[in-house]
Amino acid sequence: MVKKALSILGSVLFGLLITLVGFSVYLTISAKANPNEIPSVLGFKPLTVLSNSMYPELEAGDMIFARELDPTEVKRGNVITFKENDGRIVTHRVVKVISEKGETTFQTKGDNNNVVDQELVSSSQLLGMMGFNVPNAGHVAKFAASPIGAFVFFGVPFFFYVLLEMNDFLKRRKRDKEQMA
């Protein structure tokens, strides 16, 4: 019973590992193919929070998944991600939606900031609205992208998977020899 549970657990973990590797490869290829665009998976853009301007909702090192949306869907209180004129990517809360002359802009503010952002955000700068976040996942993603992290997250589990497969192979071989004798 324990062997079967460990075997199922190993298969599930290996499946998750393969999915994670596939996801990482897709994001890497997408980022290299279009360096000026953030890769999107199923309509969500994974981004790492770099500051505490949205504390306590978001902390530096959290990972958010910004959902692509039409600018007309944005409402006061939504947390949006946008690209500033200097190219920096920012995630702040909408404090005011302004519609003038057929153009929609957003006044934003970090929850942990005392004042609103100086520049209004135009619809063309909008990258998405926060769909959900995963605390500290940005730290994990950064570590996994390093050579040591890649070894820890991919090399070590693969090594143990190979050991388990070799062990199963040797046990089957021994059992087959005993049945033939």
Side-chain angles (χ1 to χ4, degrees):
M1 179 71 174
V2 172
K3 282 184 181 181
K4 186 167 183 142
L6 286 175
S7 176
I8 291 171
L9 179 64
S11 296
V12 168
L13 289 176
F14 187 70
L16 288 173
L17 177 67
I18 293 299
T19 303
L20 181 62
V21 168
F23 181 69
S24 298
V25 167
Y26 169 76
L27 289 177
T28 302
I29 291 170
S30 295
K32 295 217 186 271
N34 297 315
N36 295 328
E37 288 188 34
I38 299 167
S40 176
V41 179
L42 302 173
F44 287 91
K45 298 176 181 185
L47 301 157
T48 300
V49 176
L50 300 177
S51 76
N52 283 320
S53 67
M54 286 297 294
Y55 183 82
E57 185 164 352
L58 299 171
E59 293 184 39
D62 289 355
M63 182 172 279
I64 67 162
F65 291 82
R67 174 177 67 86
E68 297 171 353
L69 76 160
D70 187 277
T72 60
E73 295 178 50
V74 177
K75 308 281 186 255
R76 183 178 181 266
N78 291 151
V79 176
I80 62 170
T81 299
F82 54 94
K83 188 178 259 189
E84 289 188 328
N85 293 330
D86 64 2
R88 285 188 322 134
I89 296 173
V90 177
T91 300
H92 279 172
R93 190 174 306 279
V94 174
V95 293
K96 189 176 190 181
V97 178
I98 303 163
S99 295
E100 291 179 353
K101 301 175 189 170
E103 173 75 21
T104 302
T105 57
F106 312 101
Q107 186 172 54
T108 57
K109 176 183 174 294
D111 291 354
N112 199 29
N113 296 349
N114 293 327
V115 296
V116 296
D117 297 336
Q118 288 183 343
E119 294 182 29
L120 294 177
V121 177
S122 70
S123 297
S124 63
Q125 293 173 283
L126 184 65
L127 297 175
M129 180 171 66
M130 184 174 76
F132 61 96
N133 73 298
V134 180
N136 296 309
H139 294 303
V140 175
K142 184 178 179 182
F143 177 70
S146 72
I148 293 172
F151 177 74
V152 168
F153 279 101
F154 304 116
V156 171
F158 182 74
F159 173 74
F160 281 109
Y161 177 75
V162 169
L163 282 180
L164 287 172
E165 288 299 316
M166 285 176 53
N167 185 40
D168 285 347
F169 173 77
L170 293 173
K171 284 182 180 179
R172 282 192 306 268
R173 190 170 170 191
K174 181 180 177 185
R175 185 180 61 229
D176 290 345
K177 282 184 179 181
E178 287 174 355
Q179 287 177 350
M180 288 182 169

